[in-house]
């Protein structure tokens, strides 16, 4: 797939934020690593997200979470992408909820498992499915960090998802044209800056 030539300067950090232990975060890190061919670590950074809480909605502002993660990424060196994974329910003011949000071409992204759990929909717990959904959302948001936009191919992981069913339809992978775009933007990132 991707050549792993000159990416040792890059790093993807996954930061659990208020996340229950039953989630297989190491599996998510492995899938992210396989997709982007960038060293991926699970970080034990502690991020205080109390500022993001909106007591009228009983939800957390995803943009405030992103700003916090962005601050942290700034101190961890160039080329670092930082993905927060939380079970807190995220929202943007114009939307009822979001599964996640990313800074386009920026270092930070965040996803929530809150509405990815079957139990939220009154269905029996299914941790295999949960981990699959989390991986898809993680890849989706990190690809936004690398400048990828939404894709019309409903099987592509870059298709936008309004409902959890949309996530289940799509693959855990980028379609061939998104893959090519990613490869191009990633090699552009690696070009020497003189
Ligand atoms: Zn998106
Ligand atoms: Zn695509």
């Amino acid at each position: 797939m991707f050549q792993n030539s000159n990416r040792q300067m890059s790093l993807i950090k996954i930061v659990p934020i208020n996340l229950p232990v039953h989630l297989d975060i190491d599996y998510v890190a492995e899938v992210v690593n396989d997709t982007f061919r960038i060293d991926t670590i699970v970080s034990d950074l502690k991020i205080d997200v109390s500022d993001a809480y909106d007591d009228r909605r009983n939800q957390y502002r995803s943009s405030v979470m992103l700003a916090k993660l962005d601050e942290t990424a700034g101190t961890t060196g160039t080329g670092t992408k930082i993905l927060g994974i939380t079970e807190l329910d995220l929202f943007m003011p114009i939307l009822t909820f979001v599964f996640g949000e990313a800074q386009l071409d920026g270092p930070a992204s965040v996803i929530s498992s809150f509405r990815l759990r079957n139990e939220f929909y009154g269905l029996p717990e299914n941790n295999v499915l949960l981990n699959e959904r989390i991986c898809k959302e993680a890849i989706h948001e990190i690809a936004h960090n690398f400048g990828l936009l939404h894709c019309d191919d409903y099987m592509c992981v870059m298709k936008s998802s309004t409902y959890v069913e949309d996530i289940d339809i799509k693959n855990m992978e980028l379609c061939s044209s998104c893959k090519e775009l990613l490869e191009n933007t990633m090699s552009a990132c690696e070009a020497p800056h003189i």
Side-chain angles (χ1 to χ4, degrees), residues 151 153 156 158 175 177-178:
C151 177
D153 181 346
C156 174
M158 288 317 288
C175 71
S177 54
C178 285

Side-chain angles (χ1 to χ4, degrees), residues 177-191:
S177 54
C178 285
K179 217 177 258 184
E180 204 183 313
L181 271 173
L182 180 69
E183 185 60 16
N184 290 342
T185 52
M186 286 175 91
S187 40
C189 294
E190 287 155 14

Side-chain angles (χ1 to χ4, degrees), residues 140-141 144 150 158-160:
H140 181 101
E141 301 302 356
H144 279 318
H150 286 151
M158 288 317 288
K159 175 89 173 116
S160 71

Side-chain angles (χ1 to χ4, degrees), residues 117-130:
R117 306 173 64 201
N118 260 2
E119 302 91 298
F120 181 81
Y121 305 95
L123 298 167
E125 181 179 319
N126 184 338
N127 281 328
V128 175
L129 190 57
L130 173 65

Side-chain angles (χ1 to χ4, degrees), residues 95 97-99 121 159-167 170:
L95 297 170
F97 72 91
V98 290
F99 291 124
Y121 305 95
K159 175 89 173 116
S160 71
S161 303
T162 310
Y163 304 105
V164 76
E165 291 84 353
D166 304 329
I167 301 175
K170 62 188 182 183

Side-chain angles (χ1 to χ4, degrees), residues 88-102:
L88 303 171
D89 193 18
L90 301 178
F91 80 102
M92 284 193 241
I94 51 156
L95 297 170
T96 314
F97 72 91
V98 290
F99 291 124
E101 193 190 349

Side-chain angles (χ1 to χ4, degrees), residues 33-162:
N33 180 259
D34 282 351
T35 306
F36 296 94
R37 301 283 170 202
I38 288 178
D39 288 343
T40 303
I41 57 160
V42 178
S43 164
D44 57 3
L45 270 170
K46 298 278 172 281
I47 309 251
D48 174 18
V49 293
S50 48
D51 295 353
Y53 183 65
D54 183 309
D55 54 0
R56 282 176 310 142
R57 295 182 56 144
N58 191 26
Q59 286 177 300
Y60 289 76
R61 274 174 200 270
S62 54
S63 51
V64 176
M65 301 267 241
L66 278 188
K68 294 246 171 194
L69 289 159
D70 188 10
E71 259 169 48
T72 314
T75 62
T76 52
T78 49
T80 301
K81 304 289 185 197
I82 186 160
L83 167 75
I85 305 187
T86 184
E87 192 163 75
L88 303 171
D89 193 18
L90 301 178
F91 80 102
M92 284 193 241
I94 51 156
L95 297 170
T96 314
F97 72 91
V98 290
F99 291 124
E101 193 190 349
Q103 295 173 326
L104 189 64
D105 261 325
S109 59
V110 63
I111 59 172
S112 165
S113 64
F114 190 82
R115 292 162 196 263
L116 299 180
R117 306 173 64 201
N118 260 2
E119 302 91 298
F120 181 81
Y121 305 95
L123 298 167
E125 181 179 319
N126 184 338
N127 281 328
V128 175
L129 190 57
L130 173 65
N131 280 303
E132 216 170 85
R133 289 167 176 167
I134 286 173
C135 287
K136 289 175 184 177
E137 288 309 283
I139 294 168
H140 181 101
E141 301 302 356
I142 295 170
H144 279 318
N145 287 156
F146 284 106
L148 262 69
L149 301 171
H150 286 151
C151 177
D152 289 336
D153 181 346
Y154 68 94
M155 299 291 279
C156 174
V157 77
M158 288 317 288
K159 175 89 173 116
S160 71
S161 303
T162 310

